[in-house]
Amino acid sequence: YTAPHNFRSISKFACLVPLKHYSKNPSNSYRKCLTTYIRPILEYASIVWSPCSQVSIERLEKIQRRFTKIALWKIDYSKYSRLTYEDRLTLFELKTLQHRRFVIDLVETFKILRCKQISPLFVDFFKFNPRSGSRSGSFLLQIPFASNASLSNSFPVRAARLWNLLPNDIREIQSLFIFKKRIDVLDLTALSRR
């Protein structure tokens, strides 16, 4: 796995961005800086290159982890010095980057399966599982055969596996807006470990 960007450069950029207290809520200002300048670089075309090894996932997450730590240090280090990464994410109203990559994969899968304008792609990426029924759940996808590790992390395999883990009621949703809202509150990282 090789990410299409330089982790060290992005990490340095995260620390050099001039973060000023230009609002009454500094944590909101830092959050906007992260979501506007840094996160788009980390998530660009993640459907294609999404990391599979824990080392690569941690290297990506480290950038957001470091940014939130520096931001709190600049706001008031003495007040926030003992916060864990999860606490910092809650304070900044952020999700982990891995969770966001799962959401991106699921939303793209939903668009391919449900949206008419992308329907020709459906044949190339996914097939419904012929065994899916009322007992096993509806709208289950066949997981394509992957002959090696790199193929097992390709979008069709990764997305089909994650899609099948979703609860039935979420898979049956027809509205993209409602689907996004429902999956955003799920703990997709825990779900993916099943």
Side-chain angles (χ1 to χ4, degrees):
Y1 159 75
T2 307
H5 38 62
N6 186 327
F7 290 107
R8 189 171 283 176
S9 299
I10 294 169
S11 191
K12 283 181 182 175
F13 177 72
C15 302
L16 294 174
V17 171
L19 300 169
K20 296 180 180 176
H21 298 237
Y22 55 84
S23 73
K24 292 180 182 176
N25 184 0
S27 64
N28 191 39
S29 303
Y30 288 105
R31 181 182 182 278
K32 282 181 183 172
C33 182
L34 175 72
T35 57
T36 305
Y37 298 112
I38 297 161
R39 206 166 64 186
I41 297 169
L42 299 173
E43 293 177 347
Y44 180 75
S46 67
I47 289 172
V48 177
W49 60 263
S50 188
C52 57
S53 73
Q54 196 57 40
V55 173
S56 301
I57 291 167
E58 282 300 316
R59 283 180 73 193
L60 268 176
E61 205 67 50
K62 191 176 179 181
I63 296 166
Q64 183 168 275
R65 188 187 307 265
R66 187 173 179 194
F67 184 90
T68 55
K69 198 170 191 175
I70 290 169
L72 284 182
W73 181 75
K74 291 191 177 193
I75 293 171
D76 185 359
Y77 184 73
S78 59
K79 186 177 177 183
Y80 299 111
S81 62
R82 296 186 181 208
L83 288 183
T84 64
Y85 178 52
E86 288 72 26
D87 295 334
R88 295 197 304 268
L89 289 177
T90 306
L91 180 71
F92 285 107
E93 298 173 6
L94 295 167
K95 300 280 187 184
T96 64
L97 295 174
Q98 185 177 26
H99 173 87
R100 288 185 51 84
R101 284 192 302 276
F102 287 148
V103 168
I104 291 167
D105 283 351
L106 286 170
V107 167
E108 199 61 34
T109 305
F110 182 91
K111 286 179 184 176
I112 292 170
L113 296 174
R114 299 274 192 273
C115 298
K116 303 259 192 291
Q117 69 268 23
I118 320 178
S119 59
L121 289 174
F122 173 70
V123 181
D124 296 333
F125 282 114
F126 304 113
K127 289 180 182 171
F128 282 113
N129 191 338
R131 294 182 181 178
S132 64
S134 57
R135 180 178 281 181
S136 59
S138 57
F139 297 112
L140 290 174
L141 297 174
Q142 265 186 339
I143 298 172
F145 173 72
S147 57
N148 57 42
S150 61
L151 284 177
S152 69
N153 192 50
S154 64
F155 173 67
V157 178
R158 192 178 68 232
R161 196 177 294 128
L162 196 56
W163 178 270
N164 290 347
L165 291 172
L166 291 175
N168 269 346
D169 58 326
I170 294 179
R171 283 198 308 266
E172 292 170 358
I173 292 172
Q174 297 296 319
S175 162
L176 179 59
F177 177 74
I178 297 169
F179 181 77
K180 281 181 180 177
K181 284 185 81 172
R182 292 288 303 277
I183 62 170
D184 202 42
V185 296
L186 284 177
D187 186 359
L188 295 173
T189 309
L191 192 70
S192 70
R193 290 191 191 117
R194 282 189 191 174

